[in-house]
Amino acid sequence: MGSSPYSPDASHTPESTGPAERGPDSGPDYGPGATLAEPSTPAGRDGLAALLARPEKAVVALDFDGTLAEIVADPEQARAHPGAVPALARLAPKVGHVAVITGRPAGVAVRYGGFAGVDALAHLVVLGHYGAERWDAVSSTVHAPAPHPGVSAVRAELPGYLDRFGAWQGTWIEEKGQAVAVHTRRATDPQAAFDSLREPLATLAARHGLVLEPGRMVLELRPPGMDKGVALAEYVREVGAETVLYAGDDLGDLPAYAAVEKLRSDGLAGLLVCSGSTEVTELADRADLLLPGPSAVVAFLAALADAM
């Protein structure tokens, strides 16, 4: 892997990373003293108990979009929930390791999350592009592989390819460096556009040695061999953790769920958290703890810090 220094662009950081003011209908409390939600499964309760008993041997791993940040029509406008950094800053010094695992480029997630330059997050790791890229707060450096040649080929072919398959008005392409994504959320009929493009884009991806990663109204064409499950399992082994918490919201998080389930079978404790939505239900069916979106995830992280 190559490496490059990374300095956050102030124009991309949230206007505020402090706790938001609460009104009577402002959602979950993510300030000090928030109530710690209880998992609904025995394995989840065991995982939470193990995390609280030996937090220094735990990994807390979190997806970004849909988990720490709300899903928005334009992904370039996504920013971490205003309580996310304060909650993580309270939690990180109390646990062994905190990682953000995302399909975004690592540097973009750092900017949009506002994670750089926060003293309490001095050991945060961001695994971008499903683990192919890595940013460490201790060095503020992104390590990334050379681009896959198939990504350049797909990037050049994709606009005409979409026209040929009748992509609906509003469908658009996102350049992600190590991948290319086709978004349908702003199409005339987002779900119909998603469904009609899924098979043709899988064929295009395979022709160029890539894989198709479906998500919440997005179809991403990316290199094979790495997913969030591989990234999470490798990181857990690297740091020698005994307990792992993973929180996610989308289909791309299913491999991480499978990794936690495998780690449980190997004797580690694990807690699976779902940031729920009506768009994706597969994670909710397998989660130990279902939370209604990023605000509730942030509240849980804050309460978890208080419980230690």
Side-chain angles (χ1 to χ4, degrees):
M1 287 187 177
S3 63
S4 60
Y6 169 70
S7 299
D9 179 351
S11 67
H12 289 288
T13 56
E15 292 183 3
S16 172
T17 55
E21 295 183 3
R22 284 180 53 79
D25 299 313
S26 59
D29 179 8
Y30 50 85
T35 301
L36 183 62
E38 183 176 350
S40 61
T41 66
R45 289 191 287 272
D46 290 346
L48 179 59
L51 198 162
L52 292 173
R54 297 192 68 186
E56 74 281 2
K57 299 297 291 183
V59 164
V60 174
L62 308 153
D63 169 49
F64 186 72
D65 292 280
T67 302
L68 291 177
E70 296 287 353
I71 296 293
V72 293
D74 181 356
E76 293 184 0
Q77 300 304 313
R79 298 294 183 270
H81 184 283
V85 167
L88 288 172
R90 286 158 55 193
L91 180 63
K94 299 181 178 182
V95 299
H97 307 274
V98 176
V100 174
I101 306 180
T102 174
R104 287 185 181 272
V108 172
V110 172
R111 287 200 305 272
Y112 292 4
F115 301 136
V118 180
D119 289 344
L121 301 181
H123 297 287
L124 176 71
V125 169
V126 176
L127 302 176
H129 280 305
Y130 304 90
E133 293 185 353
R134 175 167 174 158
W135 176 87
D136 292 89
V138 68
S139 64
S140 294
T141 299
V142 173
H143 297 267
H148 189 290
V151 174
S152 296
V154 162
R155 185 180 293 116
E157 187 175 344
L158 195 52
Y161 194 81
L162 292 177
D163 289 341
R164 189 184 351 150
F165 283 94
W168 297 17
Q169 183 178 0
T171 298
W172 63 283
I173 300 169
E174 179 188 7
E175 304 286 353
K176 301 183 72 173
Q178 300 283 343
V180 183
V182 177
H183 292 264
T184 69
R185 187 173 296 277
R186 297 188 299 195
T188 306
D189 186 333
Q191 188 63 55
F194 179 93
D195 294 340
S196 69
L197 288 172
R198 186 167 181 166
E199 184 175 342
L201 290 180
T203 299
L204 177 64
R207 177 148 49 85
H208 292 288
L210 305 178
V211 296
L212 185 72
E213 183 74 49
R216 293 171 65 176
M217 300 305 152
V218 60
L219 295 158
E220 183 172 317
L221 297 84
R222 63 178 181 83
M226 182 61 77
D227 60 36
K228 291 185 179 182
V230 174
L232 178 60
E234 289 183 350
Y235 186 67
V236 168
R237 286 193 294 269
E238 173 190 329
V239 301
E242 297 177 355
T243 303
V244 55
L245 178 157
Y246 184 80
D249 75 305
D250 206 348
L251 297 175
D253 297 302
L254 287 172
Y257 267 40
V260 173
E261 291 164 350
K262 176 62 167 61
L263 290 168
R264 282 173 171 170
S265 71
D266 293 339
L268 277 70
L271 174 59
L272 293 171
V273 178
C274 175
S275 177
S277 76
T278 58
E279 291 179 339
V280 174
T281 60
E282 287 89 336
L283 269 73
D285 295 337
R286 292 169 61 177
D288 303 307
L289 178 61
L290 177 59
L291 301 172
S295 182
V297 172
V298 168
F300 175 75
L301 295 175
L304 187 60
D306 287 347
M308 293 176 177

